[in-house]
Amino acid sequence: MLIVDWRSAPNNHQLTIDHRQLLVRYYGWYSNKMRGQRNKQAAAEAKAGAVHAAEVIDVSEHKPRRIPSAKWRELIKKVWLVLRSEGSLR
């Protein structure tokens, strides 16, 4: 509708959407249908996961790739001391 038509409209009833039209607010991932399908799938996976025990990974033997440099360690110490003296750390 043009602005000229809007000005000449006698009332706002002519500007509203036809009541038979469907207003779609969300589509795709956000639609109610997709949300319901995701919830149903998550419930099925949770039910199936309850039957199978989770695998536990032992990380006690993990070794980091490298030890941080001395400069980095000193910087962390300085920041830690400043934060501790300000009372930011609890």
Side-chain angles (χ1 to χ4, degrees):
M1 180 177 280
L2 297 174
I3 295 175
V4 177
D5 294 335
W6 176 76
R7 288 182 187 162
S8 64
N11 54 28
N12 286 338
H13 295 291
Q14 294 176 353
L15 299 176
T16 58
I17 298 173
D18 185 18
H19 72 279
R20 290 168 283 174
Q21 288 182 337
L22 176 65
L23 178 63
V24 177
R25 293 186 188 270
Y26 306 104
Y27 55 92
W29 181 264
Y30 303 104
S31 69
N32 288 331
K33 177 182 176 183
M34 293 302 296
R35 198 162 34 102
Q37 288 176 353
R38 285 193 306 272
N39 290 341
K40 189 183 286 185
Q41 182 180 6
E45 288 174 359
K47 185 177 179 182
V51 174
H52 302 293
E55 181 182 349
V56 178
I57 300 171
D58 182 23
V59 294
S60 61
E61 299 297 321
H62 174 72
K63 293 180 180 150
R65 285 186 242 161
R66 65 179 184 89
I67 298 173
S69 66
K71 288 181 181 180
W72 183 252
R73 283 179 284 179
E74 290 300 317
L75 175 67
I76 296 295
K77 274 174 132 176
K78 286 179 183 178
V79 170
W80 181 268
L81 290 173
V82 170
L83 290 176
R84 191 171 62 179
S85 65
E86 291 177 354
S88 298
L89 297 176
R90 289 186 182 194

